[in-house]
């Protein structure tokens, strides 16, 4: 920032009954607190007058080596004159001293900043003026001791324990228990001791000059922007360092003037449930943060809350009915004005109410839903605005069972919160065993050092997954998120002994079968089965979702491989299946042998023999899926993973396969070695498998079409499967396999006497496919749909292996090369451009081309917005992310409609 740019700008903004310069939308300049104080003053609410020094001055201050510019000083003093005129007092005056609070206030609320200083302007002389003028010496000295305590702590760096000790001693000596027991004389004695203690600590007397006090406090606020706590907080919350904080200097009002004075905090609605009820607390004859400091027990605001809490001290409603009435009216007014639930601070001085702060209140996700729905029903928000109020990412909290917040929990170890939700079950270390026990109806937590594709069935069977190694994008994490299983990854404190079947952590040993609970949202592993809360998908949640469905343009499908996934997807509102991966069907215990037989067969006849065993199983799976999904679209991807993932490795597996094939284990071992690949991700996988072994596609297509015939016979609904060919880069690849699929369809039609309706399309997951989209989609026989496989497209576009990305991601995010993890949120500039190119080129030759994305990005709100803007037809994501995608799609539609309106 240059001095010339700021020289002409106003640095100090007034608020109060006679003049208010700022307003609510000036948060960048005035900070949140200052902007809202101005707004309340402009609304005519009782706000003690004051002024705000802008956030720009913070930057000047810190750039100037900690000097407040002279013109700013002059402006502040002029403002103080005006504030003093408003309240009939003068800063530093011995008879009628103006006292102020000095309050920090950044653009975003930021703990770690300087604490507020109250009653600034008091010294040995002004305190007497205050005592005389208020005719309340006790109040005056109580205020003075508070000021000394706060100022010394915050500005002079004297630890507050020094003061607590002095006060405690004084109380003990006199047999007092409460601060309110102390008289003016008592406080005078305490103050003398405070001052002595300060001088002993800092070799200087407590400042008596009120200007020195003022600039000391202002400097402390600006300086606190650079303290370690604030810097850490900013880094963790992505708050730019150059925002700066504002300083608010405000005339004091006093909640500590006796029994008709009080101070309190309130939410206009219940922040944990969202219920429309005043929610808050107050303390009589108290000041500032006494309410939250826990020195005395605060009293509830309403009678209802008092009764519910079984509290004997009266509520504000009975104690000060008039004030309570006014407060209620103001709360209502503020809610309507800000059109949101407010978090409010107020003070009552001798029966007169003063407003000291208002801001949008923090709330739980459940409360956010209820508040949004009710504000819309009350006519305060439109439905579209209500939809924009909910953060789609926060939905996770609602969609999984969560640990009862009131439950007691003993944590064994912590790891990464890899996949949200909580689950309890028996410890099992082996995937086969997990599957077997699950079949007996037991709940399992699969505990592994790390997982591999061979654990898929165990992960499916488990209620939750724990690994000792691996990051947020490890195999376990990615698969668990896709399956919607809670997962804690990389819990490195766990010592797992597979052979002994034990788990050691925190000095305790757990055995197979011991009960544990995991919290994948918090990354915790807990002893025993902790009580949980089930997700609630009705009520306000359902209302918001139906509103979202009313405005979104983008379709939302789910990635679902099993009937169970499909049912979950439907219950979460999926409109179809965007990706059914067929490979897990091969992984299942009874099938893997046939699959291995197929891979290891040395000729087509051998492969066909093995495939014939798999066909009925696949057909049964697809039939079930079609029956569940009815007429909704189901996209089935042909076999995709590298063959080596299916290969037998252990001796007993090799023996079994060799036997089935009628060959020697040695021959089989040689075959396995032959299939080894150096870089399987870019190797023999996707359509390349079927180009070499078309009989695989033939079998899968047959399973799909026969299942479609059977399912529509059974349900009477027409089924339209979408057959998806993976990893295509060349039109020729597509043609070769599409031909096999069409021939198979004709055969099934002839055999069954039924006309099939189906689509053939491809997954776009290689840059070449995106570039050659027009070629792939052109003509009668071209692809009828595209599904961008953005997981692989990200890997192949950036040339970064997801499974190896964890350590790279960390430094790339730190060095700001990646703004976000490109495997979580689509890289708009690079991968996104490929998606846009593919979409545009594909649609040019075939305007009816259906286009969607599948992969984890489909459930990421930012990526969903991208898909909306790029004109895709649908996104597909894991079932548990479907509501997130529905809401994100609605928000994207609302935002782009608004952008269009703004342009007009
Ligand atoms: P925080 O940002 O930590 O909430 P505030 O600046 O809001 O800090 O101050 C904390 C409390 O101090 C307020 O809630 C209010 O009770 C009290 N306070 C601040 N300014 C004044 C004032 N001018 N008169 C009376 N009380 C004040
Ligand atoms: Mg505070
Ligand atoms: Mg506050």
């Amino acid at each position: 920032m240059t001095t010339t740019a700021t020289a002409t700008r106003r640095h100090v903004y007034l608020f109060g009954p006679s003049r208010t310069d700022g307003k609510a939308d000036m948060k960048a300049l005035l900070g949140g607190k200052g902007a809202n104080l101005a707004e309340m003053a402009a609304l005519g609410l009782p706000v003690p007058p004051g002024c705000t020094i802008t956030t720009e001055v913070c930057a000047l201050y810190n750039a100037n080596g900690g000097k407040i510019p002279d013109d700013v000083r002059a402006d502040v003093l002029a403002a103080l004159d005006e504030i003093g005129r408003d309240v009939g007092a003068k800063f530093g005056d011995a008879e009628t001293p103006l006292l102020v609070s000095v309050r920090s206030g950044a653009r975003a609320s930021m703990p770690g900043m300087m604490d507020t200083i109250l009653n600034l302007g008091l010294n040995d002389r002004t305190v007497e003026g205050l005592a005389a003028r208020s005719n309340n010496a006790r109040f005056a000295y109580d205020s003075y001791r508070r000021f000394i305590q706060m100022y010394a702590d915050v500005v002079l760096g004297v630890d507050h324990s020094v003061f607590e000790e002095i006060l405690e001693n004084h109380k003990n000596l006199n047999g007092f228990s409460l601060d309110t027991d102390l008289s003016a004389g008592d406080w005078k004695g305490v103050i003398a001791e405070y001052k002595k203690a300060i001088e002993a600590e800092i070799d200087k007397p407590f400042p008596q000059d009120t200007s020195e006090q003022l600039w000391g406090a202002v400097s402390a606020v600006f300086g606190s922007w650079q303290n370690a706590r604030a810097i850490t907080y900013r880094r963790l919350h992505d708050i730019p360092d150059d925002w700066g904080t504002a300083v608010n200097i405000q005339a004091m009002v006093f909640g500590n003037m006796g029994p008709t004075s009080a101070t309190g905090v309130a939410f206009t609605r219940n922040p944990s449930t969202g219920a429309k009820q005043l929610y808050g607390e107050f303390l009589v004859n108290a000041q500032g943060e006494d309410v939250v400091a826990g020195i005395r027990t605060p009293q509830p605001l309403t009678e209802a809350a008092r009764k519910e809490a079984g509290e004997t001290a009266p509520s504000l409603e009975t104690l000060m009915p008039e004030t309570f009435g006014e407060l209620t009216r103001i709360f209502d007014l503020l809610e309507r004005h800000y059109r949101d639930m407010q978090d409010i601070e107020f003070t009552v001085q001798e029966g007169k109410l003063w407003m000291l702060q208002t801001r949008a209140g923090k709330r739980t996700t459940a409360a956010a839903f209820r508040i949004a729905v009710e504000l819309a029903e009350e006519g305060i928000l439109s439905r579209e605005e209500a939809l924009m109020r909910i953060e789609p990412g926060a939905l996770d909290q609602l969609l999984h069972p969560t640990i009862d917040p009131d439950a007691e929990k003993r944590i064994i170890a912590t790891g990464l919160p890899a996949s949200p939700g909580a689950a309890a079950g028996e410890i099992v270390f082996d995937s086969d065993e997990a599957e077997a026990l699950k079949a007996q109806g037991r709940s399992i937590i699969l505990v592994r050092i790390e997982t591999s594709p061979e654990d898929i069935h165990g992960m499916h069977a488990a209620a939750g997954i724990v690994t000792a190694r691996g990051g947020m994008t490890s195999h376990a994490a990615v698969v668990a998120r896709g399956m919607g299983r809670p997962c804690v990854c990389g819990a490195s404190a766990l010592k797992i002994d597979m052979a002994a079947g034990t788990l050691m952590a925190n000095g305790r040993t757990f055995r197979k079968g011991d009960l544990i609970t995991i919290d994948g949202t918090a990354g915790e592993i807990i002893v025993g089965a902790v009580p949980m809360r089930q997700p609630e998908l009705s009520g306000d949640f359902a209302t918001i979702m139906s509103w979202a469905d009313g405005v979104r343009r983008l379709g939302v499908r789910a990635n679902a491989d099993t009937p169970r996934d499909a049912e979950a997807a439907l219950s979460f509102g999926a409109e179809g299946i965007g990706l059914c991966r067929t490979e897990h069907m091969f992984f299942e215990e009874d099938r893997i042998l046939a699959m291995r037989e197929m891979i290891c067969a040395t000729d087509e006849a051998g492969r066909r023999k093995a495939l014939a065993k798999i066909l009925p199983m696949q057909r049964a799976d697809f039939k079930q899926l079609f029956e569940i999904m009815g007429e909704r679209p189901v996209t089935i991807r042909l076999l995709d993973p590298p063959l080596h993932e299916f290969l037998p490795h252990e001796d007993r597996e090799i023996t079994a396969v060799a036997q089935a094939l009628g060959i020697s284990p040695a021959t089989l071992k040689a075959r396995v070695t032959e299939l080894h690949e150096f870089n399987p991700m870019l190797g023999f996988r996707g359509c390349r498998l079927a180009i070499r072994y078309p009989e695989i596609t033939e079998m899968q297509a047959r399973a799909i079409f026969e299942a479609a015939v059977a399912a529509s016979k059974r349900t009477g609904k027409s089924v339209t499967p979408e057959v998806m060919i993976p990893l295509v880069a060349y039109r020729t690849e597509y043609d070769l396999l599409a031909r096999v699929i069409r021939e198979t369809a004709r055969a099934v039609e002839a055999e069954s006497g039924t006309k099939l309706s189906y689509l053939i399309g491809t997954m776009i997951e290689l840059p070449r496919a995106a570039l050659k989209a027009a070629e792939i989609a052109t003509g009668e026989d071209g692809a009828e749909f595209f599904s961008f496989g953005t997981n692989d497209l990200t890997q192949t576009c950036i040339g970064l292996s997801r499974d190896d990305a964890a350590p790279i991601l960390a430094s790339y995010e730190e060095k700001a090369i990646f703004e976000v993890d490109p495997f979580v949120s689509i890289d708009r500039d690079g991968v996104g451009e490929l998606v846009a190119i593919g979409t545009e080129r594909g649609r040019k030759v075939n305007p009816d081309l259906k286009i969607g994305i599948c992969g984890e990005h489909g459930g990421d709100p930012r990526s969903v917005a991208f898909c909306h803007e790029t004109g895709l037809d649908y996104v597909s994501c894991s079932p548990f992310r479907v509501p997130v995608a529905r809401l994100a799609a609605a928000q994207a539609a609302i935002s782009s409609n608004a952008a269009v309106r703004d342009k007009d």
Side-chain angles (χ1 to χ4, degrees):
M1 170 186 327
T2 64
T3 27
T4 43
T6 54
T8 53
R9 299 190 65 155
R10 184 202 287 266
H11 290 314
V12 178
Y13 284 69
L14 274 170
F15 57 86
S18 40
R19 204 180 102 199
T20 294
D21 304 322
K23 50 183 167 37
D25 64 7
M26 292 170 71
K27 290 197 175 65
L29 194 61
L30 303 181
K33 203 179 284 167
N36 285 331
L37 283 167
E39 187 81 4
M40 285 200 290
L43 285 170
L45 295 180
V47 176
C51 67
T52 305
I53 312 177
T54 67
T55 53
E56 292 177 350
V57 179
C58 182
L60 290 177
Y61 174 90
N62 285 311
N64 285 349
K67 276 216 297 283
I68 304 168
D70 285 341
D71 56 327
V72 174
R73 286 180 188 249
D75 290 350
V76 170
L77 291 177
L80 280 178
D81 280 343
E82 253 188 273
I83 296 163
R85 266 197 298 283
D86 271 341
V87 300
K90 197 167 163 34
F91 189 67
D93 188 79
E95 248 108 82
T96 52
L98 170 68
L99 304 190
V100 295
S101 62
V102 176
R103 320 170 65 184
S104 62
R107 199 193 292 198
S109 133
M110 228 181 87
M113 296 296 302
M114 191 206 77
D115 283 328
T116 295
I117 295 175
L118 303 178
N119 312 324
L120 188 140
L122 281 175
N123 57 24
D124 295 350
R125 283 177 54 223
T126 55
V127 71
E128 296 198 12
L130 183 67
R133 204 173 129 241
S134 62
N135 198 20
N136 188 340
R138 189 203 169 275
F139 147 70
Y141 286 95
D142 175 49
S143 302
Y144 192 23
R145 66 92 190 180
R146 287 171 184 272
F147 168 57
I148 295 174
Q149 220 171 301
M150 284 185 256
Y151 192 90
D153 177 9
V154 173
V155 182
L156 306 177
V158 180
D159 198 86
H160 55 85
S161 62
V162 171
F163 306 109
E164 276 154 26
E165 210 168 292
I166 292 172
L167 182 54
E168 222 27 59
N169 270 341
H170 191 93
K171 284 187 188 167
N172 289 343
L173 281 176
N174 295 281
F176 298 145
S177 61
L178 295 174
D179 288 3
T180 40
D181 295 336
L182 278 76
S183 67
D186 290 317
W187 286 126
K188 272 190 204 173
V190 169
I191 287 166
E193 286 189 57
Y194 278 5
K195 289 199 290 199
K196 237 193 286 166
I198 290 168
E199 198 162 346
E201 288 261 336
I202 62 165
D203 290 329
K204 269 191 301 193
F206 184 81
Q208 290 292 315
D209 177 350
T210 53
S211 306
E212 187 188 337
Q213 293 173 359
L214 179 67
W215 304 125
V218 172
S219 302
V221 175
F222 284 146
S224 72
W225 182 255
Q226 299 293 20
N227 76 28
R229 251 176 14 146
I231 290 171
T232 307
Y233 185 87
R234 286 203 290 278
R235 216 190 41 231
L236 291 176
H237 293 84
D238 288 329
I239 297 176
D241 286 334
D242 60 9
W243 275 12
T245 179
V247 182
N248 301 289
I249 303 171
Q250 185 177 27
M252 283 301 302
V253 288
F254 302 99
N256 57 336
M257 285 187 82
T260 56
S261 300
T263 182
V265 295
F267 285 90
T268 54
R269 297 178 193 232
N270 185 319
S272 50
T273 66
K276 189 172 183 176
Q277 56 195 202
L278 285 193
Y279 182 93
E281 296 175 324
F282 75 106
L283 270 179
V284 175
N285 197 12
Q287 197 178 44
E289 304 208 304
D290 288 3
V291 189
V292 287
I295 304 167
R296 283 154 60 194
T297 310
Q299 296 151 237
L301 291 184
T302 63
E303 259 315 273
R306 185 194 65 77
K307 285 196 190 118
E308 205 187 303
E311 195 69 60
T312 46
S315 65
L316 189 76
E317 192 173 359
T318 44
L319 198 66
M320 304 181 183
E322 264 172 50
T323 306
F324 179 80
E326 192 186 356
L327 204 52
T328 319
R329 280 190 299 280
I330 290 177
F331 285 178
D332 196 53
L333 183 148
L334 285 175
E335 263 207 351
R336 284 177 182 277
H337 182 72
Y338 283 101
R339 310 167 75 227
D340 200 2
M341 183 257 257
Q342 297 293 297
D343 169 356
I344 284 163
E345 296 170 6
F346 65 92
T347 281
V348 184
Q349 175 177 333
E350 300 193 298
K352 164 126 184 69
L353 175 66
W354 295 96
M355 302 304 295
L356 291 171
Q357 192 171 337
T358 192
R359 61 183 157 195
K362 292 226 167 20
R363 63 206 77 180
T364 62
T365 304
F369 272 88
R370 177 153 179 191
I371 291 169
V373 168
E374 291 185 358
L375 286 177
E377 280 166 356
E378 288 162 32
I380 295 174
L381 294 181
S382 69
R383 286 186 177 183
E384 294 198 347
E385 287 168 320
L387 286 171
M388 295 305 283
R389 288 290 172 85
I390 294 168
E391 215 267 288
L395 251 68
D396 259 354
Q397 248 189 56
L398 289 189
L399 302 178
H400 297 275
T402 46
I403 295 205
D404 186 335
D406 298 329
E408 215 184 293
K409 53 179 190 185
R410 274 187 298 148
I411 295 173
I412 302 169
T414 57
L416 297 169
S419 178
E426 299 174 36
I427 297 176
V428 171
F429 297 100
D430 179 84
S431 286
D432 293 341
E433 198 173 352
E435 197 174 41
L437 290 174
K438 161 76 187 173
Q440 298 169 18
R442 313 254 282 270
S443 181
I444 303 304
I445 302 290
L446 181 66
V447 178
R448 305 279 299 164
I449 294 171
E450 55 197 348
T451 63
S452 72
E454 304 230 9
D455 291 312
I456 300 272
H457 62 298
M459 297 174 76
H460 242 285
I465 297 139
V466 172
T467 65
R469 256 190 260 154
M472 291 295 279
T473 51
S474 63
H475 178 268
V478 172
V479 173
R481 282 198 292 273
M483 289 179 179
R485 297 288 182 287
C487 175
V488 177
C489 273
S492 51
L494 298 180
K495 299 279 166 284
I496 299 172
D497 185 338
M498 288 292 188
T502 58
L503 167 69
M504 294 220 310
N506 218 348
R508 266 186 73 170
T509 304
F510 297 84
R511 270 166 229 297
K512 191 179 84 181
D514 286 350
L515 275 181
I516 56 170
T517 300
I518 67 165
D519 183 343
T521 314
E524 293 170 350
I525 304 159
I526 306 158
V527 183
V530 184
M532 291 194 215
R533 291 194 177 163
Q534 290 308 312
E536 176 68 72
L537 299 184
S538 53
D540 302 318
F541 176 85
T543 307
I544 288 284
M545 284 299 136
S546 75
W547 292 352
D549 292 345
V551 296
R552 70 184 159 89
R553 180 193 59 71
L554 209 54
V556 177
R557 300 193 194 180
N559 300 344
D561 303 342
T562 62
R564 181 161 124 187
D565 289 348
E567 266 155 7
L570 280 187
S571 75
F572 285 120
E575 296 161 309
I577 292 178
L579 175 64
C580 169
R581 288 162 291 214
T582 50
E583 43 272 12
H584 100 271
M585 299 176 172
F586 295 99
F587 275 118
E588 287 186 4
E589 190 69 38
D590 49 340
R591 306 175 185 190
I592 187 100
L593 184 65
M595 186 64 189
R596 285 174 173 159
E597 222 182 293
M598 195 271 295
I599 298 168
C600 299
T602 42
D603 57 8
E604 187 182 327
R607 276 189 300 275
R608 284 193 181 275
K609 188 174 141 240
L611 285 168
K613 295 183 192 166
I614 301 173
L615 172 69
M617 305 177 194
Q618 285 236 300
R619 186 173 52 215
D621 285 342
F622 293 142
K623 178 167 171 267
Q624 244 184 313
L625 219 51
F626 292 145
E627 283 173 4
I628 293 168
M629 298 307 292
E631 288 179 348
R632 296 176 189 84
V634 176
T635 307
I636 294 170
R637 179 180 69 185
L638 301 179
L639 191 64
D640 179 55
L643 280 189
H644 83 103
E645 285 193 11
F646 297 98
L647 288 177
H649 292 292
E650 288 167 29
D651 281 346
R652 88 184 145 83
E653 292 169 352
I654 291 187
T655 314
V657 178
Q659 222 162 33
L661 286 171
I663 56 176
S664 73
T667 314
L668 183 61
K669 261 193 192 154
R671 174 87 178 129
V672 170
T673 316
E674 191 187 301
L675 282 167
H676 172 79
E677 291 179 293
F678 289 104
N679 192 348
M681 201 263 285
L682 299 177
F684 190 36
R685 54 168 292 212
C687 66
R688 297 163 194 169
L689 294 172
I691 298 277
R692 188 147 147 212
Y693 303 137
E695 53 276 12
I696 301 178
T697 294
E698 194 187 312
M699 181 282 286
Q700 290 204 289
R702 179 167 278 277
I704 293 168
F705 293 133
E706 289 180 353
V709 171
S712 31
K713 251 189 209 134
R714 171 118 191 264
T715 59
K717 291 185 175 146
S718 71
V719 176
T720 305
E722 301 177 348
V723 185
M724 179 153 75
I725 306 172
L727 214 74
V728 162
Y730 293 82
R731 172 66 187 255
T732 333
E733 292 172 318
Y734 177 82
D735 283 340
L736 280 171
L737 296 184
R739 198 171 307 139
V740 174
I741 296 166
R742 274 192 287 268
E743 274 164 14
T744 310
R746 273 196 294 276
V748 173
E749 283 179 330
E751 291 157 22
S752 65
T754 325
K755 179 98 189 87
L756 285 167
S757 106
Y758 63 94
L759 299 178
I760 305 177
T762 175
M763 200 141 168
I764 306 273
E765 47 195 331
L766 294 172
R768 191 181 200 282
L771 297 174
K772 304 309 288 176
E775 200 176 301
I776 293 169
T778 209
E780 277 284 285
D781 291 343
E784 294 163 297
F785 68 87
F786 284 169
S787 177
F788 287 94
T790 49
N791 290 352
D792 271 338
L793 191 59
T794 301
Q795 298 201 90
T796 55
C797 174
I798 304 179
L800 176 64
S801 153
R802 180 170 71 174
D803 292 334
D804 303 310
I808 300 165
L809 281 173
S811 63
Y812 269 50
E813 282 182 52
E814 190 192 321
K815 302 215 162 73
I817 299 171
F818 288 161
E819 215 173 286
V820 287
D821 178 345
F823 294 108
V824 172
S825 198
I826 196 163
D827 158 41
R828 277 181 176 246
D829 291 346
V831 179
E833 185 163 357
L834 283 175
V835 173
I837 289 172
T839 303
E840 194 207 305
R841 294 185 182 174
R843 286 249 173 84
K844 206 170 207 170
V845 294
N846 178 4
D848 296 330
L849 192 69
K850 267 211 229 180
I851 305 182
I853 72 160
C854 54
E856 290 211 57
H857 296 107
D860 165 65
R862 278 189 278 195
S863 311
V864 171
F866 166 81
C867 293
H868 173 90
E869 290 159 30
T870 313
L872 268 52
D873 295 305
Y874 68 89
V875 296
S876 186
C877 56
S878 70
F880 289 86
R881 300 294 289 183
V882 164
V884 176
R886 286 161 75 195
L887 180 59
Q891 293 187 344
I894 295 167
S895 303
S896 53
N897 291 346
V900 170
R901 272 199 300 273
D902 284 351
K903 245 193 238 155
D904 294 345

